[in-house]
Amino acid sequence: MIRKDVLVTEVTVSNNYDSVELCCVDLKFGDDYLRVIVYYRPPYYTFTDEQYLDLSLQCLSSLLTNTTSPIILMGDFNFPKVDWTHYSAPENPLYNKFMTFVNENGLSQFVLQPTRQDNILDLVFTNASNLISDLQVDYTFSTSDHQLVKFSVNAGDSEVIATNNQDDGLLYYDFACADYDAMATYLSNVDWFYEFSFVFNVDEYWHIFVYHLNVAIESYVPVKRKRISLSNNKKRSYPKSIRHMLNRKNVYWKRWRMTNDPRHNQAYKAYSAKCKEAIKDYYRNLEIKLVQSDNLGRFYRYVNGKMSGRKLIPPIKNAAGNLITDNVSRANIFNEYFASVFTRDDNNLPQFTKRVDSTVKCCDVCFTPAKVLKVLQGLKSKNSHGPDGFPNILLKRLSTALCHPLAFVFQASFRSHVLPASWLHAIVIPVFKKGPTSSTSNYRPISLTCVCCRVMERIINQELLSYLYQHGLISKCQHGFLHKRSTCTNLLESVYDWSIALNNKLTTDIVYIDFQKAFDTVSHQKLLNKLEGYGICGDLLAWLTAFLSNRTQVVSINGYTSDTVSITSGVPQGSVLGPTLFLLFINDIDEIFCGTNVCMKLFADDAKLYSSFDNFPCDLQSVCDKLKIWADKWQMRIAFNKCTVQRISNRDNLITCNPGYSIGGHVLLQTNETRDLGVIIDNKLKFNSYVSTVVHKAHMRANVILRTFVTRDPDVLVQAFITYVRPILEYCTPVWSPYTVCNINKIESCQRWFTKRIKGLFGLDYTHRLAHLGLETLQIRRIKYDLQLCFKIINGDISLHCNMFDLSNLTHTRGHKYKLYKHQSNVNAHKYFFCNRVCDIWNMLPEYVVDAPSSDSFKRRLNSIDLSQFVVLP
């Protein structure tokens, strides 16, 4: 049953594990390696269950740790009570040991449907999340009473390079190694006033600017060749010195094989060890630079390249269901799909009442070299570029030389209401999300637009937002892409309302609304109509009209592009103005719940409606009906199959009762928990599922770092942990920070496990390991983050649309003048929510800390306070 092109080697298991029922083999597909382990755990055994499990986990751990290849572990584990959606299990010694093994080895489990009766017994694990796809639980196999589990393994030659001739590779400019001083000198000597004086339109101004910048690039930026390869042949990525060493090593090998001389064998071994050390040094230096760069994208490209052979987009199915491998054909298939979601305007322009009087307007933006310079210097040093070929790093490094000509081009574009053609063009890169890899619907379009246009957009966006803030035109229920608003403020306001309702013995119904491809389906005519209603007029409105019109896009795959298609709707993806324009388009949606007891919270297009009640029905259904009318009027599509309703209550009989809400005749699916802006909300606000989920995800990423990083330097590994693991455990912690010892220990376990595996620290206890590495416990960090957020709210650095804190009126007690009143609580969800749990700690802070003049100063002063008395870790 083994294909001829697959090399199989059985892995010998120690005699100590003879009683463990498993089989292990190493597979080789071309240049890809894979370890496959099949395991069976009987429901009962001659040993006690715990002894057999201990022996099994020891054996499996040894097989996982003694290879650098990705692994697939599968079999019948007989653990029916694990929730594999959240990686949580009952508090039981067997389950605890098994889930600890899964987390600490960074394993993902893919079987989410019952495999025997109503239980998930047969499991498929891997430590490379993109290794397995298209998993299905099918009919029973032969005489077994278990369901058949089928899946695809993304290894070997499953990804075929297209028939396009690309043997010579692709040439590209290496902007990281450019001579920027020489480029700046050349550009500073260009007489831009003289150059621009002979032409009279924006396109010609832009062509002159592009010409001189390209002359500088061709003169002072080195050209390199990028080869496209699907193999894991690491020689291609090595520098020339190591490639020469590997070639010389090969010469030593051939000489020894020809002569069989022991001296030649010894010379080969000595030089082979030298090559191995040089390669290790290369990877150590690479990893140090990788961590210091603080670039999450580079980190994942590096790790994924070591974990799996998947580098390119696999064959894609066309409309007829045939697999297409040609690069250009695949790009066209993607472009057709991405364009299929565009909206055709129905020529019906709804009435939109003006939100400002005739004296209030926003019509002009001034582009000065100083403004342009500030934006250019604030760009991130990225190498990605749009249709013009100019990356961020180029414009940032040449900001002083380019700010004057760019300011001239921007002002000319704004006054004439014309944009250069390349500014209206986007290059779209398909990025895989989840599901079958052959389906275009499982890819997200990422648009690359011209950086120079984005610089101009940023200046316009700053003026536009300043105008909107000044006149209070942005809905208070909107939290997306706004200063002082975030996912955390959205969730804080929502969970605060829900916890108060629980405390008052009320039930809350929440309707989550999903708009289908919201950013791509905005009607341009309707959007411009709303912009006028907000007082946007004159040159600004005319420029925005040109900005939205005549846009085009292509899809790029492996350097090959599709045919060009016109963009007929939507705010421009990959632009700076796009999010702000969308906020204004959806801004009036809050009017549908005026005069009702329904609240709405928005984060861009993520909307939720909720209402709390005792025994009487709320207005939620009527608001849902109004929402459907609003969506139809403005041609916004609601994805009915993704809209859900959730009930939060202390009364179990009400939780199980179906609320029966509907939108447009579609009855909404009721759920017991919902992922709301990344945080799992359950029906009692306990957050147990979310804690288990983030702990597993953090363990996976920590395991990837230890398994793929060659360096054992503690500083590098700790920096990698801080950059790529800790943010998972600290996202929106004021909303869900745990109060039970069990959950606190779960979260701390990831940092405890990671620090134990750093070289030289194994024998130290957790407290001393943290002191040696200069780290704090995650619980202390959560307490400090609570206090910092409290400081920002009290001082107005964070905008909340609710009165979360009341200042205490007790003035005769010792302490500072900003003491908070702690509200009485009847349920844990309210008692341990942010606004209550922070009060005791905040009130005991010294006055010099609370009176800090800024958030940064408060943070520094807070670090001098001993908060260990508030730690509940055993």
Side-chain angles (χ1 to χ4, degrees):
M1 298 178 68
I2 305 297
R3 277 179 12 197
K4 292 182 179 179
D5 61 330
V6 178
L7 179 64
V8 181
T9 305
E10 183 178 356
V11 177
T12 304
V13 179
S14 170
N15 295 334
N16 297 331
Y17 306 117
D18 282 346
S19 60
V20 179
E21 297 187 52
L22 63 77
C23 175
C24 180
V25 294
D26 283 336
L27 308 181
K28 184 182 181 187
F29 308 86
D31 293 308
D32 286 347
Y33 291 87
L34 174 66
R35 172 163 290 187
V36 178
I37 307 170
V38 183
Y39 168 77
Y40 173 66
R41 174 180 171 266
Y44 56 87
Y45 201 70
T46 54
F47 291 92
T48 65
D49 285 347
E50 192 165 356
Q51 287 176 322
Y52 182 76
L53 181 63
D54 288 342
L55 198 63
S56 298
L57 297 184
Q58 290 174 15
C59 179
L60 292 172
S61 296
S62 66
L63 294 174
L64 295 178
T65 55
N66 66 5
T67 180
T68 58
S69 304
I71 66 98
I72 293 178
L73 168 62
M74 55 187 171
D76 182 0
F77 288 76
N78 276 302
F79 280 105
K81 297 181 181 179
V82 179
D83 175 5
W84 289 112
T85 303
H86 306 120
Y87 290 83
S88 60
E91 282 298 316
N92 172 286
L94 293 177
Y95 279 90
N96 288 343
K97 288 184 178 182
F98 180 58
M99 295 309 295
T100 299
F101 163 79
V102 170
N103 284 334
E104 292 187 350
N105 286 281
L107 300 176
S108 296
Q109 204 284 119
F110 284 76
V111 182
L112 301 177
Q113 295 174 280
T115 60
R116 183 179 182 275
Q117 298 177 2
D118 295 329
N119 299 318
I120 302 177
L121 301 181
D122 304 280
L123 310 175
V124 177
F125 294 96
T126 181
N127 59 1
S129 57
N130 59 351
L131 184 64
I132 291 175
S133 62
D134 305 343
L135 186 141
Q136 302 174 20
V137 177
D138 216 326
Y139 47 82
T140 57
F141 179 72
S142 185
T143 59
S144 173
D145 60 350
H146 287 242
Q147 306 296 108
L148 179 67
V149 179
K150 300 189 298 185
F151 57 90
S152 299
V153 179
N154 303 319
D157 58 357
S158 60
E159 296 176 8
V160 182
I161 291 183
T163 56
N164 309 95
N165 182 17
Q166 53 186 22
D167 293 337
D168 294 333
L170 300 173
L171 296 177
Y172 71 98
Y173 287 108
D174 185 7
F175 288 100
C177 299
D179 186 351
Y180 287 104
D181 291 336
M183 295 176 74
T185 301
Y186 167 78
L187 293 169
S188 297
N189 290 330
V190 175
D191 188 345
W192 294 104
F193 179 79
Y194 176 81
E195 293 283 341
F196 289 148
S197 63
F198 295 100
V199 295
F200 304 99
N201 62 63
V202 173
D203 276 319
E204 291 176 330
Y205 294 145
W206 176 246
H207 289 153
I208 291 172
F209 175 83
V210 169
Y211 168 77
H212 285 290
L213 189 52
N214 278 330
V215 168
I217 290 172
E218 292 171 4
S219 302
Y220 302 110
V221 181
V223 177
K224 292 188 178 180
R225 187 179 300 278
K226 180 180 181 181
R227 295 187 178 275
I228 299 177
S229 173
L230 290 171
S231 71
N232 276 341
N233 189 351
K234 299 300 187 292
K235 291 183 181 180
R236 293 183 181 272
S237 63
Y238 289 151
K240 184 180 290 186
S241 59
I242 293 182
R243 292 202 302 270
H244 285 168
M245 292 181 69
L246 292 174
N247 290 335
R248 189 175 178 186
K249 172 187 168 184
N250 193 35
V251 171
Y252 279 111
W253 165 265
K254 290 180 178 178
R255 185 178 67 175
W256 170 53
R257 297 300 293 171
M258 291 177 61
T259 63
N260 284 328
D261 190 327
R263 292 174 300 173
H264 293 163
N265 181 18
Q266 198 67 26
Y268 164 74
K269 289 183 177 180
Y271 201 78
S272 178
K274 187 177 179 180
C275 285
K276 187 175 181 180
E277 191 59 35
I279 291 172
K280 281 188 176 181
D281 288 340
Y282 165 74
Y283 279 116
R284 287 191 194 100
N285 295 330
L286 180 66
E287 288 160 0
I288 291 172
K289 292 179 181 178
L290 184 71
V291 172
Q292 291 175 346
S293 69
D294 195 20
N295 187 319
L296 192 61
R298 284 184 59 196
F299 168 77
Y300 276 116
R301 286 194 294 272
Y302 174 78
V303 172
N304 289 340
K306 296 177 77 67
M307 292 300 300
S308 172
R310 178 172 297 281
K311 293 182 178 66
L312 304 180
I313 293 176
I316 296 295
K317 287 183 179 179
N318 60 11
N322 301 319
L323 287 175
I324 306 300
T325 60
D326 177 77
N327 281 317
V328 175
S329 298
R330 285 186 293 170
N332 281 317
I333 293 172
F334 273 111
N335 212 16
E336 290 172 7
Y337 170 72
F338 294 147
S340 67
V341 304
F342 295 149
T343 298
R344 183 183 296 274
D345 190 82
D346 59 8
N347 296 319
N348 180 22
L349 200 60
Q351 183 179 2
F352 187 75
T353 306
K354 277 189 169 292
R355 268 49 180 178
V356 294
D357 58 44
S358 57
T359 61
V360 177
K361 57 185 179 179
C362 181
C363 59
D364 192 27
V365 178
C366 183
F367 300 90
T368 64
K371 286 184 179 179
V372 176
L373 178 63
K374 184 177 180 180
V375 174
L376 290 176
Q377 291 176 339
L379 293 174
K380 294 182 179 179
S381 300
K382 294 183 178 179
N383 283 314
S384 59
H385 57 79
D388 56 6
F390 305 144
N392 282 18
I393 187 174
L394 175 72
L395 298 178
K396 181 173 183 175
R397 297 289 294 273
L398 300 175
S399 57
T400 304
L402 296 179
C403 62
H404 286 83
L406 279 178
F408 183 91
V409 174
F410 293 164
Q411 197 68 48
S413 172
F414 189 77
R415 295 300 180 206
S416 64
H417 320 143
V418 175
L419 286 79
S422 61
W423 290 14
L424 300 174
H425 187 64
I427 299 173
V428 178
I429 309 297
V431 176
F432 179 68
K433 296 184 293 184
K434 61 181 180 180
T437 56
S438 59
S439 174
T440 54
S441 61
N442 294 321
Y443 290 78
R444 178 186 295 108
I446 302 298
S447 298
L448 302 177
T449 56
C450 291
V451 178
C452 290
C453 184
R454 294 205 297 271
V455 172
M456 182 178 180
E457 289 177 62
R458 193 169 296 280
I459 297 173
I460 294 175
N461 196 54
Q462 290 170 353
E463 295 286 339
L464 184 57
L465 286 175
S466 177
Y467 164 79
L468 296 172
Y469 280 128
Q470 180 182 352
H471 298 284
L473 295 175
I474 298 179
S475 170
K476 292 182 179 180
C477 66
Q478 178 63 260
H479 294 254
F481 308 111
L482 297 172
H483 181 55
K484 298 184 179 181
R485 313 302 292 271
S486 64
T487 55
C488 189
T489 60
N490 182 302
L491 290 169
L492 270 178
E493 289 184 4
S494 303
V495 179
Y496 175 69
D497 290 343
W498 303 338
S499 67
I500 288 179
L502 282 180
N503 198 55
N504 295 331
K505 299 181 180 179
L506 301 178
T507 297
T508 302
D509 284 348
I510 313 166
V511 174
Y512 288 92
I513 306 298
D514 186 278
F515 290 105
Q516 185 177 358
K517 307 291 183 182
F519 280 72
D520 294 320
T521 57
V522 172
S523 166
H524 292 164
Q525 291 302 317
K526 292 177 173 59
L527 172 59
L528 293 171
N529 182 37
K530 287 192 174 185
L531 294 181
E532 286 188 82
Y534 288 111
I536 298 169
C537 57
D539 286 339
L540 178 55
L541 182 63
W543 189 89
L544 290 173
T545 303
F547 176 71
L548 294 170
S549 306
N550 302 316
R551 300 192 70 89
T552 57
Q553 71 177 33
V554 295
V555 170
S556 176
I557 295 180
N558 305 333
Y560 295 91
T561 57
S562 67
D563 298 332
T564 301
V565 299
S566 297
I567 301 174
T568 58
S569 68
V571 294
Q573 298 280 353
S575 66
V576 176
L577 279 169
T580 302
L581 294 177
F582 180 82
L583 295 188
L584 290 175
F585 185 76
I586 204 173
N587 193 52
D588 63 308
I589 195 174
D590 62 354
E591 295 176 0
I592 66 175
F593 61 85
C594 289
T596 69
N597 61 358
V598 176
C599 294
M600 173 181 281
K601 300 298 176 189
L602 292 169
F603 187 87
D605 63 325
D606 288 322
K608 54 178 174 274
L609 310 167
Y610 61 88
S611 181
S612 300
F613 57 92
D614 188 6
N615 297 316
F616 300 99
C618 57
D619 298 327
L620 202 50
Q621 181 58 60
S622 63
V623 173
C624 289
D625 295 336
K626 292 179 182 178
L627 175 67
K628 180 64 168 62
I629 295 172
W630 179 91
D632 291 341
K633 182 169 68 172
W634 296 104
Q635 288 188 270
M636 290 288 287
R637 306 171 194 165
I638 298 177
F640 301 109
N641 61 326
K642 294 184 179 179
C643 297
T644 59
V645 59
Q646 181 176 348
R647 175 162 286 177
I648 295 179
S649 176
N650 281 329
R651 293 177 282 184
D652 293 332
N653 61 325
L654 279 179
I655 291 176
T656 56
C657 178
N658 192 337
Y661 297 105
S662 63
I663 299 179
H666 297 265
V667 178
L668 301 182
L669 175 68
Q670 183 182 9
T671 60
N672 292 324
E673 56 187 25
T674 306
R675 184 174 288 274
D676 187 352
L677 299 179
V679 176
I680 298 173
I681 306 294
D682 59 57
N683 50 31
K684 291 185 182 293
L685 300 183
K686 291 185 176 179
F687 300 105
N688 293 333
S689 296
Y690 181 69
V691 169
S692 297
T693 302
V694 296
V695 167
H696 172 72
K697 187 176 180 181
H699 267 293
M700 283 186 61
R701 197 174 288 185
N703 193 275
V704 165
I705 291 173
L706 291 176
R707 198 166 62 248
T708 59
F709 273 53
V710 175
T711 180
R712 297 291 95 184
D713 186 333
D715 293 337
V716 175
L717 293 178
V718 168
Q719 187 59 43
F721 181 86
I722 290 173
T723 305
Y724 306 113
V725 179
R726 202 163 67 183
I728 298 174
L729 299 167
E730 296 183 341
Y731 170 70
C732 283
T733 53
V735 177
W736 57 268
S737 186
Y739 56 88
T740 63
V741 173
C742 175
N743 282 336
I744 292 172
N745 273 322
K746 270 187 183 180
I747 295 173
E748 206 71 42
S749 67
C750 185
Q751 183 168 270
R752 182 182 286 112
W753 174 84
F754 186 88
T755 55
K756 187 182 291 185
R757 277 147 186 81
I758 293 179
K759 186 177 180 180
L761 303 183
F762 182 79
L764 300 178
D765 62 27
Y766 183 47
T767 303
H768 287 91
R769 292 200 302 272
L770 294 182
H772 182 83
L773 297 172
L775 297 175
E776 295 176 306
T777 66
L778 298 177
Q779 187 181 5
I780 287 289
R781 288 183 55 81
R782 289 195 299 275
I783 292 173
K784 288 186 175 181
Y785 194 76
D786 279 354
L787 294 171
Q788 291 164 25
L789 184 62
C790 181
F791 178 87
K792 291 178 181 179
I793 292 172
I794 292 175
N795 289 274
D797 296 332
I798 293 289
S799 177
L800 291 179
H801 186 46
C802 61
N803 185 23
M804 195 167 289
F805 293 120
D806 292 323
L807 291 178
S808 175
N809 55 9
L810 298 177
T811 58
H812 59 277
T813 59
R814 295 180 180 179
H816 56 78
K817 58 184 177 181
Y818 297 110
K819 287 194 173 182
L820 301 177
Y821 175 75
K822 189 173 182 179
H823 295 275
Q824 183 178 358
S825 302
N826 301 317
V827 294
N828 286 339
H830 186 61
K831 178 180 179 181
Y832 294 104
F833 183 63
F834 165 71
C835 63
N836 276 331
R837 71 169 181 266
V838 76
C839 288
D840 291 338
I841 311 177
W842 173 267
N843 290 341
M844 60 76 60
L845 291 177
E847 187 169 4
Y848 82 93
V849 176
V850 175
D851 281 339
S854 66
S855 297
D856 290 338
S857 176
F858 176 82
K859 185 177 179 179
R860 289 192 297 270
R861 296 180 185 185
L862 186 62
N863 288 332
S864 64
I865 305 299
D866 181 16
L867 300 173
S868 59
Q869 60 181 303
F870 300 102
V871 173
V872 299
L873 282 175

